[in-house]
Amino acid sequence: LNVQAGIVFFAAGPICAELDRDVNDRDWHVGLHLVFVDKAAHDAYQDDATHNTFIDEMKPNWAGVRVFDSLV
């Protein structure tokens, strides 16, 4: 992945074993967090050729993908 126009912040990391409470969703291994300047930047990222190439190349490594979009 590369930082593209409209991305304010991004980070990736593994699940934190120490933060294990009944309310925590533990059905994942690596989290990727992207914060966009606005919805237009988000929408442009979804259609970006680099983003789609990343998906095509990495998809065989994923058992599944879940997306949690939110406004912050």
Side-chain angles (χ1 to χ4, degrees), residues 14-38:
I15 195 167
C16 181
E18 294 83 21
L19 298 176
D20 187 6
R21 301 179 300 142
D22 290 340
V23 297
N24 291 111
D25 183 337
R26 308 290 297 170
D27 189 25
W28 59 280
H29 300 284
V30 176
L32 172 64
H33 307 270
L34 297 168
V35 178
F36 296 93
V37 67
D38 56 21

Side-chain angles (χ1 to χ4, degrees), residues 53-65:
T53 298
F54 174 79
I55 291 170
D56 291 341
E57 291 177 357
M58 294 294 116
K59 188 180 261 185
N61 300 311
W62 303 330
V65 173

